[in-house]
Amino acid sequence: MFDKTIEILNRFGTNSYRESYVRVLIKGTDFDKCVSFSRIMWAKTKKGQWGRGLINDEDPFKAQRIGAFGEMAFSKVLKVPVNFIYREFGQNEDFILLKKYLVDVKTSNGYPRSNSGLIRAYTNTGKKLPIKCHFYIFAYLESEDPKKREAIVNLVGFEKRNRILKREVVNAEKGDHYNYKIPYSELKSIKKFFTEYNTKISSVK
């Protein structure tokens, strides 16, 4: 199913579905596409609108690039096109699977200190934010080497929209908004998501 740039690894030294994650090497032209798209996104959006808390004056489009790496990793494993098209008012999803399932890939810069995936739940004024996608994929950037034109992304697991809405809401580590917190150890198996996709994605439970 997977090529040599994709590995199935076990986070905790077991062989269970829940413990496995997918490690993806992004290199060459795929790496270049992510870099190019991140520059376009950064140039066309206002400072602070994308990846708040990750803004870095020395690397201003880092947040957008990390997100692009996550999308590229997912597309490589699932063998579906990555949608690197800028839309003025944004979009809720990164992928539409089987013409109806909306998927959003959330990629953090390195393994998160919280050991969890985070999704914005409320603004700083208390306004509840909609969770519009059917599936949320959680990943993190393991490494990046611009000289070699290589990056490694770990796809950790996924969660469904209805289950995210029942999760704990916590204060953001950076910023004054609030997030749903989904521990990595409680995510559904990313391997199972991929292996069952070709049969019927809605059967993933």
Side-chain angles (χ1 to χ4, degrees):
M1 177 180 178
F2 302 125
D3 64 30
K4 293 181 180 180
T5 64
I6 299 167
E7 298 178 89
I8 304 295
L9 299 175
N10 297 310
R11 281 186 285 147
F12 304 115
T14 75
N15 293 317
S16 69
Y17 272 127
R18 186 175 294 277
E19 307 297 339
S20 62
Y21 67 97
V22 180
R23 188 170 186 260
V24 184
L25 172 63
I26 299 164
K27 62 180 182 178
T29 56
D30 287 341
F31 182 95
D32 297 340
K33 288 176 184 177
C34 294
V35 172
S36 296
F37 180 66
S38 67
R39 288 173 175 165
I40 293 171
M41 289 297 294
W42 178 82
K44 292 188 176 183
T45 56
K46 294 180 181 179
K47 184 177 181 180
Q49 183 175 351
W50 291 79
R52 227 176 251 179
L54 284 174
I55 295 172
N56 184 330
D57 291 336
E58 295 181 358
D59 189 357
F61 48 88
K62 184 175 184 177
Q64 292 87 347
R65 190 172 66 252
I66 291 170
F69 285 147
E71 293 177 42
M72 180 63 75
F74 183 84
S75 74
K76 280 172 61 62
V77 177
L78 215 58
K79 299 180 181 178
V80 295
V82 65
N83 185 22
F84 282 167
I85 299 175
Y86 172 76
R87 295 178 182 175
E88 184 177 357
F89 300 105
Q91 60 192 63
N92 297 309
E93 76 286 343
D94 295 322
F95 298 88
I96 302 177
L97 301 181
L98 302 180
K99 298 182 179 180
K100 60 179 179 178
Y101 295 107
L102 306 184
V103 177
D104 191 5
V105 181
K106 298 292 187 183
T107 309
S108 65
N109 181 22
Y111 192 90
R113 289 181 295 177
S114 64
N115 299 310
S116 303
L118 301 172
I119 297 179
R120 288 198 181 199
Y122 295 90
T123 66
N124 62 330
T125 60
K127 179 182 177 181
K128 188 174 184 178
L129 299 173
I131 302 297
K132 295 184 177 181
C133 291
H134 298 92
F135 298 96
Y136 288 81
I137 309 297
F138 294 94
Y140 66 91
L141 178 67
E142 177 183 315
S143 64
E144 176 186 4
D145 190 331
K147 291 183 179 180
K148 291 184 177 180
R149 297 160 61 214
E150 292 183 355
I152 295 175
V153 172
N154 290 311
L155 300 167
V156 181
F158 79 98
E159 188 56 282
K160 292 183 177 181
R161 174 176 56 192
N162 63 331
R163 290 175 59 89
I164 288 172
L165 293 170
K166 298 176 182 178
R167 289 289 182 172
E168 177 187 9
V169 175
V170 299
N171 293 323
E173 292 184 2
K174 295 182 180 180
D176 50 6
H177 59 281
Y178 302 88
N179 294 319
Y180 292 109
K181 180 179 179 181
I182 308 94
Y184 274 2
S185 61
E186 297 177 16
L187 291 175
K188 295 183 181 301
S189 165
I190 192 66
K191 180 180 177 181
K192 188 175 182 180
F193 184 97
F194 291 136
T195 55
E196 293 193 5
Y197 166 73
N198 289 323
T199 54
K200 189 177 181 182
I201 196 172
S202 60
S203 68
V204 179
K205 296 180 180 179

